[in-house]
Each structure stands twice: as structure tokens, then as C-alpha cells.
């Protein structure tokens, strides 16, 4: 059995370049790493120890895909029943969907702050948790003035733990900055304030994001390590977005 401990992770994260005072957006999948002695807490606690929550901030996507209109889901069976019985988003109670065990911990640990967006909420703990989670714009959840926009302005980082660039939601900010036409041509509507409301600009997929990796590595700001044959990436969001904008242009 491959065992992962907190002390293992601290060594790995420091080798990646994580340091005290860093602000980090974490994307995770624990599936292929092995046995975590204390489950997802080992991941979070190792990061807390390094960044020091009095100086740094950890952010976790707590997205809630179940709040989208079931009429447009791949599996549309009984979508009318679902649509008629959905509850309003509650930042304290609504469970994240398809984001792994780590995404559930902000609902348990009340030190976390969670943003108000009914589909793309972000939770944060640490020095700038209120700064990153306040005023999350409904119409462009990963665009201007969103948590990702603030991470970009603060030259923060994203940590991809067991996932690839398809899970790197920060890249969507480059699409918003470039104001790409397809952002408007989406079918995304979300249950919000008693009815389903269409989001004005929304990127519906990230299937091609992995094609960016060679370009990002060439620029030299992607740090990559392996643990138990699984890859971990640490990327500066400011450099990432600027590189993606250049590619898009």
C-alpha cells in the first residue's frame, strides 16, 4: 500500500516552491495517490503549516453543478421533477458536487468563508479569506472582480494536486479578459433567487486546456513534481493568465 503522510506532503510542497504567505487556489483529486493517513486533512494541514494562515490564504473551489438547469444535463431523465424541487443556494449548507473530498471540508471547518455564487462558489481560509470571497459577480463568475480575478491581481498561485489543466479554472479568466464570443453563446442557467437565470458570460468547458501545457512549460513558470506516479503542478496565476492571453491573441 502506498501511504501518504502530512510530513511527506510538507517536503513535496516546499520542493514545489510553496512558501509562507502564499495565496493558493487548490484543485485536488486524491484517487490515485494512495492511502492518506488522515484523509484530506493531511493535504490541507500541510499547506496551512507552510503558508501560515496569519500570512497566507488557501482557496478551494466549492462549485455546485446541481444548481444548474437540469434541462441541459446529459442525463435529462426526470429533469422536470428536479427543476421543480431544487433548493436555493445556501453558502453554509449547499454541498459541492464532483469536487472531491477536499471540497467538503470548508462546510465542516467554520473558519472558511464561502462566496455567494450559486454555481461557482469559492471557499477560503486565512489572512485574505474575506477579500477573495466577497462580491462574487453572478454574470461572469470567473471574470472581472471574481475571486480568480483577485488572485490574478495579487499574483497568487494555483496548486493542481492529482488533476491536470482541465481542472485549472483560473485559465477561464483569460477567456473573459479577451471577451471571447463563445462566452455569450452558452446555455448555462442557474437557480438563483427563486428562478433559473441565464449567466451572461460562461465558459462551458475546458477540454482543450491541456494543449497549453507545452507553452506554459516553455515560459518556465510551471513547477511540476510526481508522488506515487501522480503529478502535482504549482503555477503562478498572473504569469499563467498573461501567457494564455498571448496565446489567444
Amino acid at each position: 500500500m502506498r501511504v501518504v503522510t502530512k510530513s511527506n506532503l510538507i517536503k513535496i510542497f516546499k520542493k514545489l516552491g510553496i512558501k509562507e504567505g502564499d495565496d493558493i487556489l487548490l484543485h485536488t483529486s486524491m484517487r490515485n495517490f494512495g492511502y492518506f493517513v488522515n484523509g484530506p486533512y493531511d493535504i490541507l494541514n500541510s499547506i496551512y503549516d507552510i503558508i501560515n494562515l496569519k500570512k497566507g490564504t488557501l482557496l478551494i473551489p466549492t462549485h455546485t453543478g446541481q444548481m444548474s438547469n437540469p434541462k441541459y444535463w446529459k442525463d435529462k431523465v426526470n429533469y422536470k421533477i428536479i427543476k421543480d424541487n431544487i433548493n436555493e443556494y445556501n453558502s453554509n449548507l449547499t454541498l459541492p458536487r464532483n469536487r472531491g473530498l477536499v471540497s467538503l471540508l470548508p462546510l465542516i471547518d467554520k473558519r472558511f468563508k464561502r462566496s455567494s455564487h450559486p454555481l461557482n462558489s469559492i471557499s477560503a481560509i486565512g489572512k485574505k479569506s474575506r477579500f477573495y470571497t466577497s462580491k462574487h459577480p453572478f454574470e461572469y463568475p470567473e471574470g472581472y472582480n471574481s475571486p480568480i480575478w483577485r488572485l490574478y491581481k495579487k499574483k497568487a498561485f494555483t496548486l493542481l494536486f492529482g488533476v491536470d489543466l482541465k481542472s485549472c479554472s483560473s485559465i477561464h479568466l483569460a477567456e473573459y479578459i479577451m471577451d471571447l464570443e463563445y462566452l455569450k453563446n452558452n446555455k448555462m442557467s442557474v437557480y438563483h433567487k427563486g428562478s433559473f437565470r441565464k449567466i451572461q458570460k460562461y465558459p462551458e468547458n475546458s477540454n482543450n486546456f491541456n494543449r497549453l501545457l507545452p507553452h506554459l512549460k516553455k515560459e518556465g513558470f510551471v513547477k511540476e513534481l510526481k508522488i506515487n506516479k501522480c503529478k502535482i503542478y504549482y503555477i503562478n496565476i498572473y504569469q499563467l493568465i498573461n501567457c494564455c492571453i498571448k496565446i489567444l491573441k
Side-chain angles (χ1 to χ4, degrees):
M1 180 188 294
R2 297 174 298 180
V3 177
V4 183
T5 68
K6 177 184 169 184
S7 58
N8 294 150
L9 292 172
I10 288 175
K11 290 177 183 177
I12 289 164
F13 290 153
K14 284 185 175 180
K15 192 173 180 180
L16 270 175
I18 297 176
K19 60 187 183 302
E20 186 177 71
D22 280 359
D23 293 344
I24 302 168
L25 176 60
L26 172 66
H27 297 275
T28 58
S29 174
M30 300 167 59
R31 188 178 304 161
N32 298 314
F33 278 93
Y35 180 75
F36 289 80
V37 177
N38 299 293
Y41 287 104
D42 280 337
I43 300 173
L44 298 197
N45 287 334
S46 60
I47 296 173
Y48 297 162
D49 281 6
I50 300 171
I51 67 172
N52 182 355
L53 293 178
K54 291 182 179 179
K55 297 182 178 181
T57 313
L58 180 65
L59 298 90
I60 298 172
T62 44
H63 296 183
T64 46
Q66 71 272 25
M67 301 299 294
S68 62
N69 193 334
K71 181 179 179 180
Y72 301 109
W73 294 358
K74 288 182 180 179
D75 183 359
K76 298 181 182 180
V77 177
N78 296 324
Y79 81 86
K80 290 184 179 179
I81 298 174
I82 298 170
K83 189 176 178 181
D84 292 341
N85 288 276
I86 192 168
N87 289 330
E88 194 73 44
Y89 169 78
N90 184 316
S91 61
N92 294 314
L93 299 174
T94 304
L95 294 174
R97 184 182 182 190
N98 296 331
R99 296 288 155 176
L101 281 174
V102 170
S103 71
L104 299 175
L105 299 190
L107 275 77
I108 299 170
D109 188 341
K110 297 306 178 184
R111 293 177 299 170
F112 274 88
K113 309 299 179 188
R114 190 179 186 186
S115 71
S116 62
H117 202 279
L119 183 65
N120 287 79
S121 67
I122 295 284
S123 293
I125 185 172
K127 184 177 180 180
K128 301 188 192 79
S129 58
R130 290 188 184 275
F131 168 75
Y132 285 119
T133 57
S134 63
K135 298 179 182 179
H136 195 158
F138 177 82
E139 298 292 0
Y140 27 92
E142 288 159 341
Y144 287 105
N145 296 319
S146 69
I148 290 175
W149 168 258
R150 293 169 198 171
L151 286 163
Y152 169 70
K153 298 298 283 185
K154 289 293 183 181
K155 299 184 179 180
F157 299 86
T158 186
L159 176 61
L160 308 180
F161 187 93
V163 296
D164 55 27
L165 286 179
K166 284 192 292 185
S167 298
C168 187
S169 56
S170 301
I171 295 173
H172 290 307
L173 176 59
E175 298 174 296
Y176 278 99
I177 291 173
M178 293 296 292
D179 198 22
L180 300 177
E181 188 64 28
Y182 60 74
L183 293 176
K184 303 171 188 175
N185 301 329
N186 73 83
K187 295 180 180 178
M188 182 57 71
S189 64
V190 183
Y191 192 74
H192 185 50
K193 297 181 179 179
S195 63
F196 283 92
R197 292 177 54 191
K198 187 179 184 300
I199 294 181
Q200 191 179 99
K201 295 180 182 179
Y202 195 80
E204 291 191 307
N205 72 70
S206 53
N207 294 335
N208 292 314
F209 282 2
N210 281 329
R211 294 171 61 188
L212 294 166
L213 190 57
H215 300 278
L216 305 182
K217 285 184 175 180
K218 187 177 179 181
E219 295 289 332
F221 58 82
V222 176
K223 297 177 181 178
E224 176 185 338
L225 283 177
K226 276 188 178 181
I227 173 174
N228 296 340
K229 298 182 180 179
C230 296
K231 291 184 178 181
I232 308 173
Y233 300 96
Y234 197 52
I235 307 172
N236 181 290
I237 292 175
Y238 183 79
Q239 292 174 306
L240 169 67
I241 299 306
N242 289 343
C243 183
C244 290
I245 289 171
K246 186 166 65 174
I247 292 167
L248 285 168
K249 283 182 178 178

